[in-house]
Amino acid sequence: MDHDPLTTWFWQGAAEGVLLVQRCEECRHHQFYPRPFCLRCESDRVVPVEASGAGTLYSFTVVHVSTGLDVPPPYAVGLVTLDEGPRLLARLVGLDHTIGDRVTVRWRDGNPHPVFGPAARPASR
């Protein structure tokens, strides 16, 4: 599949199971979706960097209507605030979510689109 040259690095990383965002080499600001300049300082020195894949669920919705894609309803879509700062819109694992949940990126075999599922909870003491 051909991609816009501005996003090629994102899709290459995703195909390898790596979530990439941009970081400005001038002000260190992280951003997503890919742009040719920094949203904070307008520098053109933005480079792809690996994100932790961890974040917080900012908002979500459960879709009950078929889109005709290979995703049968119902399914959840969420806006995730990555720990690095940018927000990413992605599918969520399962339907039981609460705003503020900690989530981590997951990858499905043969599909380069990131999905987010519940973060592993620390073991209780």
Side-chain angles (χ1 to χ4, degrees):
M1 176 186 298
D2 291 331
H3 296 288
D4 179 322
L6 189 59
T7 65
T8 298
W9 55 266
F10 173 80
W11 295 111
Q12 287 173 341
E16 297 173 10
V18 177
L19 181 61
L20 299 172
V21 298
Q22 286 178 313
R23 183 182 66 215
C24 177
E25 291 185 319
E26 295 290 328
C27 72
R28 312 307 279 175
H29 174 73
H30 289 87
Q31 64 187 27
F32 188 83
Y33 63 90
R35 296 169 175 90
F37 60 90
C38 175
L39 290 174
R40 180 177 286 162
C41 74
E42 299 184 0
S43 169
D44 63 356
R45 295 184 58 212
V46 289
V47 295
V49 296
E50 185 172 351
S52 68
T56 303
L57 188 57
Y58 178 80
S59 182
F60 75 97
T61 189
V62 176
V63 179
H64 294 277
V65 177
S66 176
T67 61
L69 301 175
D70 293 333
V71 184
Y75 61 92
V77 176
L79 193 55
V80 175
T81 304
L82 298 175
D83 287 351
E84 292 80 8
R87 287 194 178 132
L88 199 81
L89 184 65
R91 282 214 24 231
L92 301 173
V93 174
L95 300 176
D96 186 24
H97 303 283
T98 302
I99 292 173
D101 283 352
R102 292 291 295 164
V103 293
T104 56
V105 71
R106 312 275 173 86
W107 301 96
R108 295 173 291 167
D109 288 339
N111 189 328
H113 296 93
V115 296
F116 284 83
R121 292 193 166 86
S124 50
R125 297 181 180 229

